[in-house]
Amino acid sequence: MLLLKSFILGFSVSAPVGPIGLLCIQRVLLKGKSAGFLTGLGAATANIIYAGIAAFGFSAISFFLVEKQLYLKIIGSLFLLYLGIKTFLKTSSNKAADLDGSSLFRMYASTLLLMITNPVTILNFAGMFAGLGFEQNSSPVQTSILLISGVFLGAISWWTILSFAVSILRTKITPYMNYVNKIAGLLIVILALLNFIHST
């Protein structure tokens, strides 16, 4: 039951389509489902790091990250702005680009970097864990491992479903990728600016 609850939590936290979801969709359409999956994996890795900090109660690390959240949010907003502009200016080709190892790693690392600049996620996970009473029925270590595992499995399930679903529609959407890039890029830029305004 604990694993199932944390799985649902990880899935539901990942499901809302924000800037990461837009990036995932755009990358799937441009470079295939592997690019989308690696984008989602980067987001899921950030979630598992922050869920781990919340579950194991690393208060000193949590305090430091939350204390520096303004700087991290500004960095994240600037990076998101860069990704949005890059997406907006990208021109598509009729053939999807091949991805080598370094490109796949960049897909993963860029999303991880973007997600890790929002340390308030620690507090979100801590609140959700406490609110659902996950501390019951087992030792703290076992509870924490189950929580982290469930959150990760839930998150990665969402990104896998999204990547495959968008991939199915890829052949129909690919001819319009220039428009998709413009719209996705513009939305990401708007989200970056809103995030920046909200953090200052």
Side-chain angles (χ1 to χ4, degrees):
M1 181 61 72
L2 178 60
L3 186 63
L4 177 60
K5 287 182 178 179
S6 56
F7 176 92
I8 294 171
L9 180 61
F11 189 93
S12 60
V13 165
S14 302
V17 178
I20 304 300
L22 288 172
L23 275 178
C24 179
I25 292 169
Q26 193 268 343
R27 286 174 173 176
V28 171
L29 293 175
L30 187 64
K31 296 190 175 184
K33 57 181 174 288
S34 295
F37 177 78
L38 266 293
T39 298
L41 183 61
T45 302
N47 279 342
I48 199 174
I49 291 171
Y50 280 151
I53 292 173
F56 283 105
F58 296 153
S59 57
I61 300 175
S62 300
F63 178 78
F64 173 78
L65 289 173
V66 173
E67 187 181 46
K68 303 299 181 184
Q69 65 174 295
L70 174 60
Y71 304 106
L72 291 172
K73 277 191 173 182
I74 291 173
I75 293 170
S77 297
L78 291 174
F79 184 63
L80 191 59
L81 183 63
Y82 161 75
L83 287 176
I85 293 172
K86 184 178 179 181
T87 299
F88 184 85
L89 296 176
K90 186 182 292 292
T91 56
S92 65
S93 61
N94 294 327
K95 182 180 179 181
D98 293 328
L99 286 173
D100 56 24
S102 61
S103 294
L104 285 172
F105 178 77
R106 283 198 296 271
M107 297 286 176
Y108 169 81
S110 62
T111 314
L112 174 60
L113 175 63
L114 187 57
M115 287 289 291
I116 212 72
T117 59
N118 186 21
V120 176
T121 305
I122 298 171
L123 300 180
N124 293 337
F125 275 119
M128 288 183 285
F129 290 165
L132 292 175
F134 283 168
E135 71 278 0
Q136 305 293 326
N137 302 325
S138 59
S139 72
V141 173
Q142 289 175 326
T143 298
S144 297
I145 291 172
L146 286 173
L147 285 174
I148 295 167
S149 300
V151 166
F152 179 77
L153 291 173
I156 208 64
S157 295
W158 163 253
W159 294 116
T160 300
I161 291 170
L162 180 63
S163 297
F164 274 85
V166 175
S167 179
I168 292 171
L169 302 174
R170 186 183 176 194
T171 54
K172 296 181 179 179
I173 298 175
T174 297
Y176 306 99
M177 269 308 299
N178 280 327
Y179 298 105
V180 172
N181 288 341
K182 301 297 183 189
I183 294 170
L186 185 60
L187 289 173
I188 292 170
V189 167
I190 291 171
L191 289 169
L193 293 175
L194 290 174
N195 191 46
F196 181 80
I197 292 170
H198 183 70
S199 65
T200 55

